[in-house]
Amino acid sequence: MSLSGNERCYPRRVNQSTAFMTYPDKDSASEMQRITDLDRIEESIRPLGPTLVNLYFRIMHRTFPILDQGVFLEKYARSYHEFSPPLLAAVYLVALDWKLFDRTLATAPRTPDAEALEDLAMRTMADDLKRPKLSTLQAGLLLLQRMRSSHSTLPAQLLSLGQTLGIHIDCTGWKIPEWEKGLRRRLAWALYMQDKWGVLVHGRPSLIPAQIDEDEGTSDWDVGACTLNDFPEDATEEENGDGGVDGAAGRAAFLQSIELTKIFSRIVSTFCSIGATKKGGLLERIGPSGAMSLAKPLAMELREWHAALPASLQLESTPSLRLSTNGALHLSHMATELTIHRALLRILTPDSAPSLRSAIRTAARARLTSAMNLIESFQPEHIQSFWGFAAAAQVALVGAFAGLLWATSPQMDEAAGYVEQLEKLRWVLQVRAYAAPFAREALRMLHEEVGDLAAVKAATFRDS
């Protein structure tokens, strides 16, 4: 689809009330540039293209299923010229993160320049936004999983693009292929999770309204539920993967992540919105006791979600010779829990009832201990798997949470315990940083959030 008004357009009617105006790429003035860009991308990784594509579908796709594998491989077998440049570059780029999991890549005399490939992907992404298609959205979501900048406007651009493409509308009754319906639902919920966890990563409000979780009958987000029927891959074709991700577990984790993100969205809307946190806002009016009442049903939802996880998604479930996405799923659950407890800690005032203060702080200490135990328990099969864009911020939240408990500690001994937890967290991240990019980023964020731990320790014992 193109946004230009100077090209011949063709309507694509998908039902009685919905139609898209489409524009053929071959009539676009930028078509020659597209082919040139694809040639440059392919040249930058040649002859490793097929190897990278295979690796992508062995690991990334089984965890973050926003492509249609059959359609992609069919096109790739014909010609790489059939793709949008940013999508092809993004697939190659993401696959390079697991180059050690393929013998050809691990022993290649020349490793493709990931930085140059990323520059190509981002430049062509800017061009592709002028004539957006589903592939543009796919490329953007893949690139966002690797981006570390919190200043990018790409998330907002993708949401606007998705609405242009009708991603926010239920496509169940549309006259389109079944594979496209499933793809649209997977893309829609991937975009939803990107937007909602972006609140934690970027510190900006969500762009998708929270009312999706409150009254689906009046929401502008009208996307059908994503189910296993939306995944066309044949499980038997995934059995030959060595060192990849278990496809069934990856799909189940994706579906559970959607449900968890809905709970996270409700928590953020309740406790972290501008209206709730401003002076004179909801939380100030109802006080800590009222906030506890709001938190209880949300905490119950979280417990029920966790209790309902199948055995294949338990943290300790790591099939032999497989990477596991379960660590990332449980990290998201932990971050969701901490979001509730951090909000309750912030509401406490000197006038709060001692019994209420004690209950909130005791529960918060227990959650901090659980969070530390979780991070320490991650195995190599977890560490080397795919961690979404929010993982570093989720880990850094543990440090910020410990810092908040330290800053509000009534006793020196209690404060000293939180300093020890911060030092422990820093050490855990340091010994994992080389193997896991998200751990390196979390370590950097921890230093920004907490500052010099030596100074924190000195301040703690200054009056001892």
Side-chain angles (χ1 to χ4, degrees):
M1 179 175 180
S2 172
L3 300 182
S4 170
N6 298 322
E7 301 173 59
R8 180 181 302 173
C9 64
Y10 302 88
R12 182 194 185 192
R13 183 169 295 280
V14 294
N15 63 18
Q16 289 185 345
S17 59
T18 308
F20 294 91
M21 304 307 294
T22 62
Y23 299 79
D25 285 340
K26 64 181 181 180
D27 292 339
S28 171
S30 59
E31 178 64 3
M32 290 182 61
Q33 182 62 50
R34 185 183 75 88
I35 298 299
T36 300
D37 289 336
L38 284 168
D39 288 338
R40 290 184 61 192
I41 291 167
E42 192 67 21
E43 182 61 32
S44 72
I45 55 86
R46 186 174 283 123
L48 300 172
T51 301
L52 289 169
V53 168
N54 176 269
L55 185 58
Y56 174 90
F57 283 106
R58 273 176 46 206
I59 298 178
M60 182 67 172
H61 177 69
R62 297 178 187 178
T63 310
F64 194 60
I66 64 167
L67 303 184
D68 186 287
Q69 181 173 352
V71 172
F72 187 98
L73 294 180
E74 182 181 327
K75 286 185 175 181
Y76 195 76
R78 290 196 297 261
S79 173
Y80 64 83
H81 283 159
E82 294 198 18
F83 293 97
S84 71
L87 177 58
L88 186 65
V91 167
Y92 288 156
L93 183 64
V94 168
L96 280 172
D97 290 338
W98 287 282
K99 60 187 176 184
L100 295 180
F101 286 80
D102 183 272
R103 185 175 61 84
T104 300
L105 285 166
T107 59
R110 181 186 69 88
T111 302
D113 186 341
E115 186 174 339
L117 189 57
E118 185 168 17
D119 288 342
L120 266 174
M122 294 307 298
R123 182 184 65 74
T124 57
M125 184 69 193
D127 293 337
D128 225 41
L129 286 169
K130 300 172 185 176
R131 50 178 185 183
K133 294 180 284 192
L134 290 181
S135 59
T136 314
L137 181 57
Q138 292 167 325
L141 286 170
L142 287 177
L143 292 172
L144 283 175
Q145 305 315 303
R146 304 184 81 259
M147 289 179 63
R148 301 291 174 254
S149 172
S150 63
H151 306 295
S152 173
T153 60
L154 185 56
Q157 289 176 295
L158 291 185
L159 187 56
S160 176
L161 182 156
Q163 291 173 341
T164 299
L165 299 173
I167 284 294
H168 62 303
I169 301 173
D170 185 7
C171 63
T172 302
W174 287 10
K175 296 177 181 178
I176 58 177
E178 289 300 316
W179 68 262
E180 185 179 342
K181 292 179 183 179
L183 176 62
R184 280 178 167 272
R185 277 189 282 269
R186 301 198 309 270
L187 271 173
W189 289 110
L191 185 61
Y192 175 86
M193 290 189 283
Q194 185 76 33
D195 176 67
K196 295 303 179 180
W197 283 106
V199 174
L200 177 64
V201 175
H202 306 302
R204 297 192 291 261
S206 166
L207 297 176
I208 296 176
Q211 67 198 83
I212 172 184
D213 305 312
E214 299 167 3
D215 186 356
E216 295 181 1
T218 61
S219 176
D220 285 329
W221 182 266
D222 184 31
V223 181
C226 193
T227 70
L228 287 176
N229 292 330
D230 295 317
F231 298 83
E233 285 79 8
D234 184 353
T236 60
E237 296 177 359
E238 300 169 340
E239 295 302 320
N240 58 4
D242 8 327
V245 173
D246 179 81
R251 289 188 284 275
F254 183 78
L255 296 179
Q256 290 295 333
S257 293
I258 295 171
E259 298 308 310
L260 178 61
T261 304
K262 290 179 181 178
I263 301 173
F264 176 73
S265 174
R266 287 193 283 275
I267 292 169
V268 169
S269 176
T270 302
F271 291 106
C272 306
S273 66
I274 295 174
T277 56
K278 70 179 181 180
K279 185 174 179 59
L282 174 65
L283 296 180
E284 185 176 301
R285 294 197 304 271
I286 65 176
S289 180
M292 283 281 283
S293 297
L294 290 177
K296 286 179 181 177
L298 293 167
M300 180 61 70
E301 279 192 73
L302 267 179
R303 282 195 291 272
E304 292 173 352
W305 176 90
H306 190 268
L309 286 178
S312 62
L313 297 185
Q314 299 300 323
L315 186 65
E316 61 274 9
S317 177
T318 51
S320 177
L321 299 178
R322 294 281 193 175
L323 296 178
S324 173
T325 188
N326 295 355
L329 182 64
H330 285 265
L331 177 62
S332 294
H333 172 258
M334 177 273 296
T336 305
E337 281 193 317
L338 291 189
T339 300
I340 295 180
H341 289 276
R342 181 172 65 166
L344 294 176
L345 281 173
R346 287 173 165 175
I347 297 168
L348 290 174
T349 68
D351 299 328
S352 299
S355 59
L356 183 61
R357 174 185 292 274
S358 176
I360 289 176
R361 291 190 65 84
T362 299
R365 283 196 298 271
R367 292 279 66 76
L368 176 61
T369 300
S370 296
M372 289 297 303
N373 291 339
L374 173 68
I375 294 173
E376 285 188 284
S377 68
F378 291 149
Q379 299 301 307
E381 292 85 355
H382 302 131
I383 295 293
Q384 292 298 324
S385 189
F386 168 64
W387 295 76
F389 81 107
Q394 291 168 340
V395 173
L397 176 61
V398 180
F401 190 71
L404 178 60
L405 281 166
W406 169 81
T408 56
S409 295
Q411 304 293 334
M412 185 192 70
D413 289 346
E414 182 181 340
Y418 299 130
V419 174
E420 291 180 6
Q421 293 278 45
L422 284 167
E423 290 181 321
K424 185 178 180 181
L425 177 61
R426 181 175 65 178
W427 171 251
V428 168
L429 293 177
Q430 285 172 332
V431 296
R432 289 163 171 76
Y434 181 77
F438 83 90
R440 291 197 294 273
E441 179 64 11
L443 188 61
R444 182 194 66 77
M445 295 175 71
L446 178 66
H447 290 154
E448 287 186 353
E449 288 273 358
V450 180
D452 185 359
L453 281 181
V456 173
K457 181 182 287 189
T460 303
F461 296 102
R462 185 176 298 150
D463 300 324
S464 61

